[in-house]
Amino acid sequence: MSGEKIKIVLLILGAFVIGSLWTKVQYLEKTKNQPPLPTNNVAQAPSDNGAPIKVSVDDDPVLGDKNAKITLIDFSDYECPFCKRHFTDTYPQLKKDYIDTGKVKMVFRDLPLNFHANAAREAEAAECARKQGGDAVYFQYHDQIFTKTTSNGTGLALEQLPIIAKDLKLNVDQFQQCLDSGEFKNEVEKDLADAAKVGATGTPTFFIGRSTADGVIDGIKIVGAQPFSAFKAIIDEKLK
Amino acid sequence: MLALNLLAPSKQLLMKNLSSTLIISAVYLLFVTLLMNSGLARDTFLGNYGLGYKAQILISLLQGMWTSMTGTGFAILIITSVLTGANLSLLLEKIKDLRDQGPLRLVVGGSSILGIVSSGCAACGLPILALLGIGGSLGALGFGLSYLAVFMLLISFYLLLKTKTKQVCKI
């Protein structure tokens, strides 16, 4: 490559780098007054260099066989439209082919984004449902939220939360008390902090890895409402 | 009126650069698509996996363009990629023309403005490279600024067409 061509390529790359930096500065300026994620460890987030990332299942709800060979951790937001898309388009097939067959267990962790007004409350509500009925009821509640919400922040009115609890035959008084007391606020915030630590900055973000005894997996990260085929390819590779 | 004056030569110019535009657009599209899952892409293509797995992941991530963004976002991405492709094609041709006229001198000025000053030709002003760079990056970074990216790319595209279709350099 001639010096001239190298110069041209460098110029174009330089323009993109300067553009990126300018955009980044604008973005940081715009977000500097927003409340930070509740963690002091954001700086420890691993860089997304393709190496598996250590992610814990924590004490979060598990769907499927607890001894499944593969663990799929889903950092999700009940008001995120792409999480809803994953729920409607991909999750049913994943559940049928891998979770119900005992090959994969799915762990749902909360990552309610701060611009989705009702998301954190909905996450707490699902935890309150779990308190009464365990993981099975948690996922029934989870399914109901995703089915009913139109997403984007306030897609499900908060008044609907006890109604869903009633539909699932939970004790509504206990449920409401749990929700009003903010009993699971810290639990949701811990998930948020953990998400930041593992570099999950958007929703949905998934980590897929072989299950371990201590619940910490070496997870391959998938971001966004990717099609079933992406999950299938990774899971099948991990199952080998 | 000016736009009308640009139409005929522009059409020729665009047809001439069609293949390079399409290639650059496709590369840009691929780059932006993989950017969202850069870690996975890197692990897949550099990792010790079979070709079948690599192909499956690549195809899945490309399919994910439809599922992981809104209809509007997808349309904006396509527009941004086509505009970036068209801009870069025209720019490369422009630089080729300039090279034929003499050596390029490069001046990087200001904090974010990148410009090229060539040998005294007013019609050859290429600070649009900054517009193109910022525009392309806005689109790729996707901080909800994609509309601005399209706007800047359109300006850059217009300026490139305008200078490229000029037959003389006026002082």
Side-chain angles (χ1 to χ4, degrees):
Chain A
M1 197 184 271
S2 70
E4 197 89 321
K5 280 184 184 165
I6 292 172
K7 233 185 262 180
I8 292 167
V9 170
L10 285 177
L11 259 176
I12 291 167
L13 286 176
F16 273 88
V17 168
I18 289 169
S20 305
L21 289 175
W22 181 84
T23 311
K24 191 95 179 167
V25 168
Q26 295 302 310
Y27 178 73
L28 291 174
E29 282 288 323
K30 205 172 103 182
T31 55
K32 73 178 177 188
N33 294 324
Q34 288 181 1
L37 285 174
T39 174
N40 296 321
N41 297 318
V42 175
Q44 293 174 5
S47 61
D48 196 6
N49 58 6
I53 298 166
K54 290 212 175 293
V55 190
S56 170
V57 300
D58 200 33
D59 56 354
D60 285 306
V62 179
L63 182 69
D65 184 349
K66 287 189 164 50
N67 297 315
K69 192 175 175 185
I70 304 296
T71 298
L72 184 156
I73 299 175
D74 177 2
F75 280 95
S76 187
D77 171 328
Y78 284 111
E79 284 296 322
C80 156
F82 299 107
C83 301
K84 183 176 168 79
R85 186 175 289 177
H86 170 79
F87 173 77
T88 54
D89 296 357
T90 307
Y91 170 71
Q93 191 75 38
L94 265 178
K95 187 170 181 300
K96 181 171 166 270
D97 289 3
Y98 292 103
I99 299 172
D100 292 348
T101 54
K103 295 172 183 167
V104 172
K105 62 176 172 185
M106 187 183 94
V107 179
F108 191 89
R109 304 203 62 184
D110 296 304
L111 179 47
L113 303 174
N114 57 10
F115 53 88
H116 288 152
N118 292 355
R121 193 80 166 158
E122 288 164 11
E124 288 176 42
E127 290 288 352
C128 287
R130 183 187 184 203
K131 186 186 174 190
Q132 285 191 39
D135 288 357
V137 170
Y138 178 92
F139 280 100
Q140 287 174 17
Y141 201 94
H142 156 282
D143 290 358
Q144 285 297 307
I145 298 178
F146 273 130
T147 303
K148 292 186 172 173
T149 185
T150 54
S151 66
N152 278 320
T154 51
L156 180 73
L158 294 178
E159 294 75 37
Q160 288 291 313
L161 297 176
I163 295 172
I164 295 174
K166 191 182 169 195
D167 291 346
L168 295 177
K169 307 207 181 329
L170 301 178
N171 182 320
V172 177
D173 289 340
Q174 282 179 19
F175 173 86
Q176 193 64 54
Q177 196 181 10
C178 167
L179 196 55
D180 292 344
S181 68
E183 188 177 335
F184 289 103
K185 198 166 182 284
N186 288 343
E187 165 63 33
V188 172
E189 286 184 352
K190 183 177 184 303
D191 279 6
L192 262 171
D194 286 352
K197 281 182 200 168
V198 297
T201 52
T203 55
T205 297
F206 307 89
F207 293 91
I208 301 174
R210 280 176 182 262
S211 304
T212 59
D214 64 0
V216 178
I217 64 164
D218 280 325
I220 288 186
K221 182 170 144 184
I222 309 183
V223 182
Q226 300 300 333
F228 172 71
S229 56
F231 292 90
K232 180 176 164 48
I234 295 171
I235 293 169
D236 287 347
E237 183 71 23
K238 292 276 172 200
L239 281 170
K240 278 180 186 169
Chain B
M1 192 65 184
L2 183 60
L4 283 175
N5 288 339
L6 279 175
L7 271 182
S10 302
K11 198 176 166 190
Q12 278 182 331
L13 201 59
L14 290 176
M15 290 310 289
K16 191 178 156 196
N17 289 290
L18 190 62
S19 54
S20 55
T21 298
L22 289 178
I23 292 169
I24 296 171
S25 301
V27 170
Y28 180 89
L29 204 59
L30 188 67
F31 172 74
V32 174
T33 305
L34 296 183
L35 199 62
M36 183 191 253
N37 277 288
S38 56
L40 174 61
R42 208 177 305 181
D43 173 62
T44 303
F45 300 119
L46 302 180
N48 189 23
Y49 300 109
L51 270 179
Y53 175 75
K54 290 176 198 260
Q56 270 182 315
I57 293 291
L58 179 65
I59 292 166
S60 299
L61 291 181
L62 287 175
Q63 282 178 342
M65 276 195 297
W66 280 266
T67 55
S68 61
M69 56 182 80
T70 60
T72 315
F74 183 62
I76 292 283
L77 173 63
I78 297 292
I79 293 169
T80 308
S81 61
V82 170
L83 282 174
T84 302
N87 270 293
L88 282 176
S89 297
L90 288 178
L91 190 66
L92 289 174
E93 196 178 337
K94 179 97 199 158
I95 289 170
K96 199 177 144 212
D97 289 351
L98 290 176
R99 198 179 49 189
D100 294 342
Q101 290 172 20
L104 284 174
R105 285 189 294 149
L106 311 177
V107 174
V108 179
S111 59
S112 65
I113 302 296
L114 179 65
I116 302 174
V117 178
S118 69
S119 48
C121 175
C124 307
L126 283 175
I128 40 159
L129 196 55
L131 275 179
L132 170 61
I134 293 169
S137 306
L138 283 173
L141 290 171
F143 287 132
L145 296 169
S146 1
Y147 293 102
L148 183 59
V150 170
F151 178 67
M152 292 175 92
L153 285 169
L154 277 173
I155 295 176
S156 154
F157 183 59
Y158 172 74
L159 291 175
L160 266 172
L161 268 186
K162 199 176 141 192
T163 56
K164 193 72 184 96
T165 50
K166 271 192 179 174
Q167 302 300 312
V168 288
C169 292
K170 288 179 184 167
I171 299 173

